[in-house]
Amino acid sequence: MYVIEIVLFVIGLVLLVMGYRRNHRNLMLCAAITLFLSAGLGPMVEGFSEGYRDSRAAR
């Protein structure tokens, strides 16, 4: 999971630099979304798996 977060972070930084240099707003938007996912993906997946595990245990 940590590898995916690091890869998304690096991709987000590259997109941000490319979008800033080319003055391309859509690229910077993609960079912002990618950076958001890199920061929130781990807790989101952990919460989903914990909720799924608890729902299976309640049956």
Side-chain angles (χ1 to χ4, degrees), residues 2-35:
Y2 296 111
V3 173
I4 295 172
E5 291 176 4
I6 292 171
V7 168
L8 284 175
F9 181 73
V10 170
I11 290 172
L13 285 178
V14 169
L15 287 175
L16 185 66
V17 169
M18 286 175 49
Y20 185 76
R21 285 190 179 176
R22 295 182 185 174
N23 197 15
H24 201 269
R25 291 182 182 171
N26 288 336
L27 246 135
M28 289 193 289
L29 174 66
C30 289
I33 293 170
T34 306
L35 288 172

Side-chain angles (χ1 to χ4, degrees), residues 31-55:
I33 293 170
T34 306
L35 288 172
F36 174 75
L37 284 176
S38 74
L41 189 65
M44 195 168 27
V45 169
E46 288 176 16
F48 180 80
S49 64
E50 183 179 332
Y52 184 75
R53 192 176 339 111
D54 289 346
S55 71

